[in-house]
Amino acid sequence: MKLVLGRDDLAAAALAAAREAGAQPERVDIKPVHKASRGFVNASDADLCELAIVTVLQALAYGKPVLLLPVTTLGRHQHQTLVTLGGLSVADVEGHSVGVRAWSQTTGVWMRGFLTEQYGVDLRKAQWTTYEGHHVDGAEDPSWVTRAPQGRKLPADFLEGRVDFGIMGNELPSDDRIHTAVERAHEVAEQWSKNQGFIPVNHVVGVSEAAAAEQPAAILAAYDAMRSVLGAKEEGGDVALHPVGFAGLRGAFTKAAAYALEQDVIPHPVDYDELVERTCTALGVPPSRLGG
C-alpha cells in the first residue's frame, strides 16, 4: 500500500494506522508533492495520495478511478497570490498579461474566481499565459489561453517583465519590488472566508478505487488517524483551516467546482454528492462514517 503525503505528521499517523489495520504501507516521498498527482490520477501508481482540490474535480470530470478521502492537508487564504511589480492593481487585470503555472493549478482557479466574483473581471479580456500542462490526461487549456515557450518559467518571466501579473503561491520569488494586486489582501481573504463559511482549500487526499475496494479498513484507519492529528492542531477561528469530513469540505468543493466550470478547467459540472457516493460505495460505509 503506497502513500504519498507531503506532511510528515500526517504521513506518520496514516502509516501507523494502516499498519495496525493489517496493511503493509510505505511512504513514497515525492517533493514537491504535486508532482505525484499525474502518476496517481492517470496510472494509479499510489493508493493514497495528496492532491490539489481541482485535480480531484478534473479526475472525476474525466472519469479517472480517483476517490476523495475528505481530509484537508493544505488550507490557506489565496487573495494574496495575485502579484505585480509595478503600480498596477486588481482593477487593471483586463487588458494586461497574467501568468499562472498551470491553468488547473488550484491557486489560480481560486484567484480567478475572486477576480470574476468580487471584482467583475472578464477573464477573457486579459492575456493569460501558462507554463505547464494538466495533471489529468485529456484536459487542455482553453483556446483563449497561451502556453509559454518550452523552458520558460513563470517567476523569471514575471521578474523580467514579460507578464504584468503573476498568480503564485509557493513559487513566489523573494523580491522587494513585488506587491499584492489586491489591496489589504489578507484582510480581504479573511473576510471572504468569514462570509462564505469556509477556507479556500488547496490540498486534500485522494484514494484509488482499487485501494478502497481492496483495503477499506486500512483506508478508514488512515482517515481516522489524520483527522485526529488535524483536530489536535486546529487553531480557533471563524472557519476551520483544515476541515475534515464530507460536510466540512462541501462548501470549498462546491465553490471550486463552480469556478472551475466557469474557467473551462472542467468540461461539465461536477456534483459533490456524486463524489461522496462514489467514495462511500467503494469503502462500504455511509457518509456519516466520513463526516458526511
Side-chain angles (χ1 to χ4, degrees):
M1 182 177 178
K2 295 182 178 180
L3 285 68
V4 183
L5 292 165
R7 286 179 51 165
D8 293 339
D9 56 349
L10 295 181
L15 285 167
R19 191 174 295 114
E20 188 173 340
Q24 295 181 318
E26 63 172 305
R27 184 185 185 187
V28 181
D29 193 14
I30 298 177
K31 296 180 180 178
V33 73
H34 72 79
K35 290 188 176 297
S37 300
R38 177 173 289 279
F40 172 73
V41 170
N42 301 299
S44 299
D45 61 5
D47 299 295
L48 184 151
C49 184
E50 181 172 333
L51 293 176
I53 191 171
V54 173
T55 302
V56 177
L57 292 169
Q58 279 194 324
L60 183 61
Y62 285 92
K64 304 300 182 181
V66 172
L67 306 171
L68 169 66
L69 196 64
V71 174
T72 300
T73 59
L74 176 61
R76 69 180 182 203
H77 294 302
Q78 305 280 7
H79 284 76
Q80 75 283 357
T81 60
L82 180 67
V83 295
T84 183
L85 291 175
L88 300 175
S89 75
V90 67
D92 302 304
V93 169
E94 291 185 9
H96 288 83
S97 55
V98 190
V100 61
R101 177 172 56 81
W103 193 246
S104 56
Q105 183 184 13
T106 295
T107 296
V109 171
W110 281 120
M111 190 64 236
R112 291 192 301 268
F114 304 150
L115 288 176
T116 58
E117 191 170 70
Q118 293 181 274
Y119 301 99
V121 173
D122 183 343
L123 298 178
R124 288 164 177 77
K125 292 183 179 179
Q127 292 84 54
W128 294 93
T129 300
T130 60
Y131 295 79
E132 296 178 12
H134 300 249
H135 291 143
V136 179
D137 287 350
E140 301 289 344
D141 287 355
S143 60
W144 41 280
V145 173
T146 300
R147 181 65 56 84
Q150 188 171 4
R152 293 257 287 269
K153 299 293 183 182
L154 172 57
D157 271 7
F158 174 70
L159 290 176
E160 293 167 16
R162 284 187 284 273
V163 293
D164 301 312
F165 295 91
I167 298 178
M168 289 179 277
N170 294 335
E171 68 267 52
L172 181 68
S174 178
D175 192 302
D176 291 340
R177 297 174 298 164
I178 297 173
H179 67 86
T180 59
V182 175
E183 188 176 357
R184 303 187 312 278
H186 288 284
E187 295 176 30
V188 172
E190 289 180 2
Q191 189 60 53
W192 185 90
S193 288
K194 289 179 183 178
N195 293 343
Q196 298 289 332
F198 56 83
I199 201 83
V201 169
N202 200 305
H203 287 188
V204 292
V205 177
V207 178
S208 73
E209 286 186 347
E214 295 166 7
Q215 303 188 75
I219 298 297
L220 292 169
Y223 166 81
D224 291 340
M226 290 187 285
R227 180 187 60 188
S228 294
V229 169
L230 293 171
K233 295 185 176 181
E234 188 68 51
E235 298 180 2
D238 294 297
V239 294
L241 186 59
H242 293 91
V244 177
F246 286 125
L249 279 164
R250 179 176 292 276
F253 259 93
T254 302
K255 179 65 79 173
Y259 285 167
L261 183 64
E262 292 171 355
Q263 299 166 24
D264 294 339
V265 176
I266 53 177
H268 56 78
V270 170
D271 183 8
Y272 186 65
D273 287 320
E274 179 185 344
L275 188 55
V276 172
E277 181 180 358
R278 289 180 65 231
T279 298
C280 292
T281 299
L283 290 170
V285 297
S288 59
R289 175 61 178 86
L290 294 167

